Amino acid sequence: MDTDVLIVGAGPTGMTLANELLIAGVSTVLADKLSQRSDLSRAGGVQSRTLEALDQRGLLEPLLATGEHPAISGHFAGIPLPHHANRHRLPWRAVPQVVIEGFFEQHLAAHGIHVRRDHELVALTQDDDGVTAAFANGATLRSRYLVAADGAHSAVRSLLRAGFPGQPGTLTIAAADVRLGGVEAPASHTWNEDGHWAAVFPLGTDPQGRQLHRLVLGGPGRSLPRDIPVTEDEIRHGLSTVFGTRVHLLELRYARRITNASRQVEQYRHGRVFLAGDAAHVHLPLGAQGMNTGMQDALNLGWKLGAAVHGWAPENLLDTYHAERHPAGAAVLRNVRAQSLLMDWAGTRDAEVLAAREIFTAMAQLPDAQRHLADLMSGMAIRYPMHGTEAHSLVGRPAPDLDLGPARVHELLRSGHGILLDPADTFAGVAGRWSDRVDRVGQGARTEPMLIRPDGYVCWAGAADPEPALNRWFGEPR
């Protein structure tokens, strides 16, 4: 074997996975077909659950130290969620994808993992022991497992001939990184009476300290073929149509057309090959959910691959990746489709759509609705289908970030181990048999007993015997 895990694709999903495998002590090769990292911003926001996961690995503060990344409030279909920022411990942050990729590449390189560029995958075969990958430059690599993180046009997915059902793109919108004059609100969606609309979000600053924004334009007549370049005249016309003379273009840095295609692979696992990120699911980029969902795929899969490589993974542990992440991805596709409809993406001004949006906008101001939408859009609403989920409200959900005396939960998770919270010192004897992969926190925990997986999700809680859960998630004791 050349490596334990080969990751194809060095975007946020692939790099997040590489870091998880680094923590798990698994040898990893990260390959990408590009000759150099893209300098395009692409996704622009990091949701609360992803920020928590970065904090669990000790990466959040270093990432936020890379520049100005203000907290931002969320929206659903362009309807503001003003209490979104106060709902969770870590509010959304405006961190462009290009910043995340640069940060991870530098972090991984410091630990000996360098992206192998100019590696375009052209063939793969797998057997009972591993996967052999061949690249256009003549290189071949043999690994125990391979993970496709190579985007919406995944070469791995094509080579697997994996089904990618869903809805094809029926229209496009223009998205651009710009400097604007006259912008007042930090983030906004604005419509005019003819159905033309614009969305403006902060992207931090350029090297000269000047504010950058992501601008999205849609409405009647704005759906053009993807291969037609987005011009400065088109951007200026779109701004004037929606804002009049109030907002104007200072600089166009990058622009592209985005489709409303919505697809998801039928299976996230194909033997020793796994699909993650845009290779597994694509949809409109509303709420940066594509990037965040892909990073969450990686966080779910990483520790499980580590367990398999080290030989303690219980039977079917790798299958739980599909069982947990496919429903999570499907839920994102559903909320994006609902948002697209309520936003009147095409600018039809259909009376029924406008009526539904009016009612939904009023409902979205109710506190319970605000909390539900905030959880949905932040990734905090996910509840994985685990054994015992019905028995305890915490099981299957992200662990609360409790102050355990010596440290908080997110700090203890930096080891990459599971955590057994044992406030009454009841389970010391049992936990000791798994001490190579589960850390026990005894008296001083000031909480009810619970078992937390390395990805930060509770897999057991209450007063019953934790041994069945330890066996289920952490394999046979040593």
Side-chain angles (χ1 to χ4, degrees):
M1 293 291 174
D2 297 306
T3 188
D4 291 323
V5 180
L6 169 61
I7 304 171
V8 180
T13 299
M15 290 189 177
T16 300
L17 179 60
N19 187 67
E20 291 298 292
L21 296 172
L22 171 67
I23 292 170
V26 170
S27 65
T28 305
V29 169
L30 186 57
D32 197 281
K33 68 178 182 180
L34 297 179
S35 60
Q36 60 183 15
R37 179 167 49 83
S38 172
D39 60 356
L40 306 178
S41 67
R42 289 172 290 184
V46 185
Q47 61 186 204
S48 299
R49 180 60 199 140
T50 306
L51 292 170
E52 285 190 354
L54 292 170
D55 208 12
Q56 289 168 186
R57 299 303 184 235
L59 298 178
L60 180 58
E61 289 187 10
L63 173 62
L64 296 182
T66 59
E68 179 187 348
H69 305 300
I72 54 177
S73 60
H75 73 90
F76 189 91
I79 300 166
L81 301 177
H83 304 298
H84 188 287
N86 300 321
R87 173 65 173 161
H88 307 112
R89 179 174 70 92
L90 297 171
W92 285 54
R93 292 281 189 157
V95 188
Q97 179 176 332
V98 64
V99 172
I100 291 174
E101 291 180 1
F103 170 79
F104 264 116
E105 186 162 11
Q106 184 176 19
H107 170 75
L108 292 169
H111 290 84
I113 300 177
H114 300 273
V115 180
R116 299 192 185 184
R117 298 206 172 272
D118 290 312
H119 275 60
E120 181 179 1
L121 186 73
V122 293
L124 68 83
T125 57
Q126 60 176 312
D127 52 41
D128 292 341
D129 299 318
V131 184
T132 301
F135 299 90
N137 60 8
T140 60
L141 285 169
R142 177 81 171 157
S143 59
R144 297 179 187 273
Y145 300 98
L146 183 148
V147 179
D150 53 344
H153 304 287
S154 170
V156 176
R157 191 182 65 236
S158 296
L159 291 168
L160 290 172
R161 298 181 180 177
F164 200 36
Q167 299 175 357
T170 58
L171 56 85
T172 65
I173 56 169
D177 295 355
V178 295
R179 287 197 304 115
L180 297 174
V183 175
E184 298 175 358
S188 65
H189 288 73
T190 306
W191 287 260
N192 72 4
E193 294 182 356
D194 295 329
H196 293 277
W197 58 270
V200 181
F201 301 98
L203 279 179
T205 58
D206 66 10
Q208 291 74 43
R210 298 174 299 186
Q211 180 65 56
L212 297 175
H213 286 92
R214 165 64 51 76
L215 170 67
V216 185
L217 296 170
R222 299 216 175 274
S223 179
L224 301 176
R226 293 189 69 181
D227 58 353
I228 295 179
V230 180
T231 65
E232 290 188 6
D233 286 343
E234 182 179 348
I235 296 297
R236 290 194 177 93
H237 181 265
L239 288 171
S240 65
T241 300
V242 177
F243 298 107
T245 59
R246 178 164 57 89
V247 178
H248 53 279
L249 179 67
L250 298 176
E251 180 186 4
L252 173 60
R253 300 174 65 91
Y254 156 70
R256 62 177 175 143
R257 299 192 193 278
I258 299 171
T259 79
N260 62 342
S262 177
R263 297 183 181 277
Q264 185 180 29
V265 290
E266 296 171 318
Q267 293 292 326
Y268 280 26
R269 181 183 185 184
H270 293 254
R272 290 180 171 269
V273 180
F274 300 82
L275 296 125
D278 287 354
H281 41 76
V282 295
H283 52 78
L284 279 169
L286 289 170
Q289 291 184 94
M291 179 180 73
N292 283 273
T293 303
M295 293 175 74
Q296 292 297 322
D297 290 343
L299 293 158
N300 184 284
L301 179 60
W303 72 276
K304 297 172 182 178
L305 284 174
V309 169
H310 289 306
W312 58 259
E315 185 179 2
N316 299 326
L317 180 65
L318 291 177
D319 289 332
T320 67
Y321 170 63
H322 171 85
E324 293 175 355
R325 292 307 299 169
H326 190 279
V332 170
L333 264 65
R334 286 194 300 273
N335 88 56
V336 168
R337 288 171 183 155
Q339 291 188 72
S340 176
L341 174 66
L342 290 170
M343 286 181 70
D344 190 17
W345 198 263
T348 64
R349 308 305 285 170
D350 182 275
E352 293 180 352
V353 172
L354 295 178
R357 180 178 176 84
E358 181 180 353
I359 292 174
F360 188 89
T361 300
M363 292 177 62
Q365 306 313 305
L366 300 174
D368 285 349
Q370 285 269 326
R371 286 190 288 270
H372 173 75
L373 293 173
D375 288 351
L376 184 71
M377 295 298 293
S378 65
M380 300 298 290
I382 293 173
R383 189 179 190 186
Y384 290 144
M386 299 182 188
H387 177 72
T389 297
E390 301 80 7
H392 198 288
S393 60
L394 286 174
V395 174
R397 300 187 186 278
D401 190 45
L402 302 166
D403 184 352
L404 303 177
R408 300 191 70 89
V409 166
H410 76 267
E411 295 171 320
L412 295 174
L413 284 166
R414 291 173 184 174
S415 67
H417 290 181
I419 301 174
L420 177 62
L421 302 184
D422 182 18
D425 279 335
T426 306
F427 308 117
V430 172
R433 297 157 59 199
W434 281 272
S435 61
D436 60 326
R437 63 204 83 151
V438 177
D439 300 329
R440 188 183 70 90
V441 179
Q443 288 186 357
R446 297 198 296 273
T447 182
E448 63 181 312
M450 71 180 74
L451 180 62
I452 305 171
R453 306 189 317 189
D455 60 352
Y457 282 80
V458 178
C459 56
W460 169 88
D465 182 4
E467 187 166 352
L470 285 163
N471 273 302
R472 173 174 171 78
W473 294 106
F474 297 96
E476 293 294 325
R478 58 181 180 181

